């Protein structure tokens, strides 16, 4: 296969500011076509980002998927739309790269995984922080024993939403708010760092609250969990506070902390046992797209495959059932 021709489904924040620009910077992938609810919006987006198809703009998913030149779709729509769009793409024989969280229920996530496996297409999920160069260096050092065996980990990621107009705060196309916007990323980081040595999450407790906007969705969620070997972790996710974003790892033989690395930028400061970890910042969205394209080419799993993303959704669901 030559260049992977990708369609973007959705033209919102992540598609416009990060994914389309990253597609232009990533070897082996190109923006081919675009789906929007509005044809004129799709046309404007396709032209702004230089989509290569002779017919790049669609307002109908089946029409977009019927293009035989299209190789893959990147699903960048609200969370509740992911399942139907991913399954339709898989059934049309297109590889799927889906934004996080993979779905709004474990049943939907399982159906996506099954559809992709049945169609033998690659399914990748967009946890871009696994491609943060500093995180990769940190996890490499931790795996080599820089802080001994990790016995506890903590992630704190909050931001201050101006109001509750975001779709995540409503039931139509969202399900969780703090948990789906930033919490699912924190969970992914905790799983990435912990599961390999500590085993699966065997126990979890959660507390959610919506004290400010009066919506039925979580404005703040606190999770505590225990892994199979007895190690523990904490996650605090909230849409209420502009505050430092942190990852902390507590090991038998030391301590590591990442400050300001959680976000889209690929930057921030990382210390292991108080010593600054040197790394060269890179664009994590380019990293995730490079990995996905290589996974398709090499017929291997991407950094976060459907089954790993399903585990994440299962935990979100357990944390905050309907
Ligand atoms: N990895 C990351 O760093 C990151 C960051 C932000 C978001 N995300 C994920 O990316 C996905 C999209 O989030 P976003 O922040 O880009 O959202 P957004 O800015 O609201 O954009 C979503 C887009 O989906 C399309 N859409 C289709 N049906 C819709 C509906 N009923 N309501 C609203 N939009 C609809 C819209 O495009 P049209 O108007 O063209 O149809 C809209 O612009 C989510 O799954 C989110 O979790 C990931």
């Amino acid at each position: 296969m030559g260049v992977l021709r990708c369609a973007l489904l959705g033209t919102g924040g992540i598609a416009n500011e990060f994914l389309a620009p990253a597609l232009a910077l990533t070897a082996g992938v190109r923006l081919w076509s675009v789906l929007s609810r509005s044809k004129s919006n799709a046309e404007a987006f396709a032209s702004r980002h230089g989509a290569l198809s002779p017919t790049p703009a669609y307002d109908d998913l089946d029409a977009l998927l019927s293009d035989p030149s299209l190789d893959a779709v990147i699903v960048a729509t609200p969370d509740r739309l992911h399942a139907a769009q991913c399954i339709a793409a898989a059934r049309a024989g297109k590889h799927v790269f889906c934004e996080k969280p993979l779905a709004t229920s474990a049943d939907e996530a399982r159906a996506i995984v099954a559809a992709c496996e049945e169609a033998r297409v690659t399914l990748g999920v967009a946890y871009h922080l696994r491609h943060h160069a500093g995180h990769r260096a940190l996890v490499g050092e931790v795996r080599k024993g820089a802080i001994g065996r990790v016995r506890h980990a903590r992630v704190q990621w909050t931001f201050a939403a101006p109001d509750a107009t975001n779709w995540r705060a409503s039931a139509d196309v969202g399900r969780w708010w703090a948990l789906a916007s930033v919490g699912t990323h924190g969970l992914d980081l905790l799983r990435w760092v912990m599961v390999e040595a500590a085993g699966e999450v065997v126990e979890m407790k959660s507390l959610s609250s919506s004290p400010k906007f009066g919506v039925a969705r979580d404005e703040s969620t606190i999770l505590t969990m225990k892994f199979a070997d007895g190690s523990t972790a904490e996650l605090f996710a909230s849409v209420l506070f502009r505050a430092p974003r942190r990852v902390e790892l507590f090991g038998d033989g030391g301590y590591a902390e990442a400050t300001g690395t959680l976000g889209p930028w690929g930057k921030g400061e990382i210390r292991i046992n108080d010593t600054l970890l040197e790394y060269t910042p890179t664009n994590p969205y380019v990293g995730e797209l490079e990995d996905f394209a290589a996974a398709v080419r090499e017929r291997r799993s991407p950094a976060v495959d459907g089954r790993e993303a399903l585990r994440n959704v299962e935990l979100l669901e357990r944390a905050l059932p309907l």
Side-chain angles (χ1 to χ4, degrees):
M1 178 180 291
V3 168
L4 198 69
R5 294 166 162 178
C6 299
L8 261 170
L9 312 189
T11 61
I14 191 68
N16 189 49
E17 287 171 48
F18 298 105
L19 294 172
L23 278 165
L25 296 171
T26 306
V29 296
R30 279 297 169 261
L31 178 61
W32 181 251
S33 54
V34 182
L35 178 78
S36 169
R37 289 165 297 176
S38 139
K39 185 84 182 276
S40 62
N41 191 28
E43 278 160 2
F45 187 99
S47 144
R48 186 160 67 249
H49 293 291
L52 292 177
S53 166
T55 55
Y58 294 85
D59 59 6
D60 178 78
L61 180 60
D62 291 335
L64 176 143
L65 292 173
S66 68
D67 175 357
S69 300
L70 179 69
D71 301 308
V73 300
I74 301 175
V75 180
T77 52
D79 305 343
R80 206 178 279 282
L81 306 182
H82 293 181
Q85 292 178 333
C86 288
I87 290 168
R91 289 184 179 154
K94 312 302 180 189
H95 301 288
V96 177
F97 190 63
C98 184
E99 266 304 339
K100 43 53 63 173
L102 177 58
T104 48
S105 73
D107 281 348
E108 286 173 1
R110 266 182 228 108
I112 297 172
V113 170
C116 289
E117 288 180 355
E118 203 169 303
R120 295 173 189 275
V121 295
T122 300
L123 170 60
V125 182
Y127 287 100
H128 69 286
L129 291 170
R130 290 213 189 196
H131 302 278
H132 185 297
H135 289 169
R136 296 182 84 80
L138 171 62
V139 171
E141 290 303 313
V142 167
R143 300 262 200 263
K144 281 191 272 175
I147 60 169
R149 180 79 172 258
V150 184
R151 299 290 186 190
H152 185 71
R154 183 190 286 152
V155 171
Q156 168 178 308
W157 189 348
T158 73
F159 66 98
D163 51 42
T165 53
N166 192 280
W167 53 260
R168 293 172 187 82
S170 82
D172 305 349
V173 288
R175 172 163 175 187
W176 305 284
W177 193 2
L179 269 181
S181 49
V182 291
T184 185
H185 276 303
L187 259 185
D188 183 63
L189 285 176
L190 290 171
R191 291 185 54 79
W192 182 30
V193 172
M194 300 298 292
V195 167
E196 187 175 298
E200 270 298 335
V201 175
V202 292
E203 203 178 321
M204 190 170 79
K205 294 195 166 72
S206 69
L207 186 63
S208 289
S209 182
S210 303
K212 184 168 177 182
F213 297 115
V215 293
R217 294 288 175 266
D218 60 314
E219 295 168 9
S220 293
T221 292
I222 306 158
L223 297 184
T224 52
M225 36 209 124
K226 186 160 94 177
F227 296 84
D229 76 340
S231 304
T232 49
E234 295 162 71
L235 169 71
F236 175 49
S238 177
V239 306
L240 298 182
F241 311 108
R242 191 171 178 280
R245 298 170 181 182
R246 279 207 190 94
V247 181
E248 295 170 273
L249 307 179
F250 303 78
D252 285 342
Y255 168 78
E257 180 176 29
T259 317
T261 59
L262 304 179
W265 311 283
K267 296 182 180 158
E269 192 176 283
I270 300 178
R271 289 181 183 273
I272 300 179
N273 298 323
D274 293 327
T275 303
L276 196 64
L277 181 66
E278 303 281 350
Y279 69 93
T280 305
T282 56
N283 181 331
Y285 298 97
V286 170
E288 68 179 8
L289 291 169
E290 267 171 0
D291 174 62
F292 175 66
V296 170
R297 261 195 321 274
E298 296 161 18
R299 297 172 190 273
R300 63 158 169 86
S301 289
V304 179
D305 64 12
R307 288 184 175 270
E308 175 59 18
L310 163 62
R311 298 279 99 78
N312 192 305
V313 173
E314 284 171 345
L315 291 174
L316 297 179
E317 190 165 75
R318 219 198 294 172
L320 197 49
L322 276 180

